[in-house]
Amino acid sequence: MDDNGCPVDEVDLSDRELLQLTELRDDGRILDRPSLTVERALFLGKPVIRIRVTACATPPVRCEGVVWVRPDPTTRRASREDERVLAERRRSLDTPFDSRPLPCAGLDDLDLELVGSGATTSIASPIIETLLRRRR
C-alpha cells in the first residue's frame, strides 16, 4: 500500500514472501507472540498481502523491547504510566478459568435442568465446606 492507502503494483505474492511475513510472529522481536495470519487478498481490484493481527489479551506487548501505544492518531513510545495501565489490564485478565466471563455466551447456553437438579450443589458442597473450615 502507498501512503494514501492505495494498493501498489507488482506485489510479491509468492509463498516464500508470505512465509517470511508469517515468521515475524516467531522471530522473538514481538513478545508476547501475537495471533497473526498472513494471506493473499484483493483490495480495490488489485492483489495485496493482508496481515491480520488480533489484539493481545495480555498487554503490554513489546516490539524489540519497546512498548508502543496509540492514544490518538499518532503512535508513540509508552511512558511508565502507559505501561502501568497496560500491566493493570493484564492482571485483571489473569484470573482462574472458571471466574472469567465468556463474552459470547448467552442465557440460552445455560443448562437449566442441570442447575435446577441440585447437581451443581453436590459438586460445589465440598468446596464450600472447605472454604467455611478455613474461615473458622
Side-chain angles (χ1 to χ4, degrees):
M1 307 293 285
D2 64 16
D3 291 340
N4 296 322
C6 296
V8 295
D9 295 322
E10 300 178 24
V11 175
D12 183 1
L13 297 172
S14 67
D15 286 341
R16 190 168 79 183
E17 183 66 22
L18 295 178
L19 182 60
Q20 185 177 1
L21 290 168
T22 302
E23 288 173 356
L24 289 173
R25 183 184 90 94
D26 298 322
D27 68 3
R29 292 188 296 166
I30 303 173
L31 298 172
D32 290 349
R33 291 186 317 169
S35 172
L36 181 139
T37 58
V38 178
E39 59 195 359
R40 294 176 187 93
L42 284 177
F43 183 68
L44 299 176
K46 292 187 177 181
V48 295
I49 296 175
R50 178 173 45 202
I51 302 174
R52 184 176 300 176
V53 181
T54 306
C56 182
T58 54
V61 174
R62 297 184 182 282
C63 181
E64 297 181 346
V66 177
V67 176
W68 297 90
V69 292
R70 191 168 168 86
D72 49 47
T74 64
T75 302
R76 60 180 169 84
R77 274 183 113 119
S79 67
R80 285 188 176 176
E81 183 65 16
D82 294 329
E83 287 196 47
R84 185 190 64 76
V85 169
L86 292 170
E88 283 179 7
R89 189 180 308 165
R90 179 181 203 129
R91 283 192 300 273
S92 72
L93 297 170
D94 285 342
T95 57
F97 169 77
D98 55 351
S99 64
R100 279 186 241 151
L102 188 59
C104 61
L107 291 176
D108 295 337
D109 296 318
L110 288 174
D111 187 346
L112 295 178
E113 288 181 28
L114 178 65
V115 172
S117 71
T120 53
T121 307
S122 64
I123 292 169
S125 63
I127 297 169
I128 294 169
E129 289 174 22
T130 304
L131 291 173
L132 289 174
R133 268 197 310 264
R134 287 183 184 169
R135 233 178 179 188
R136 293 179 196 151

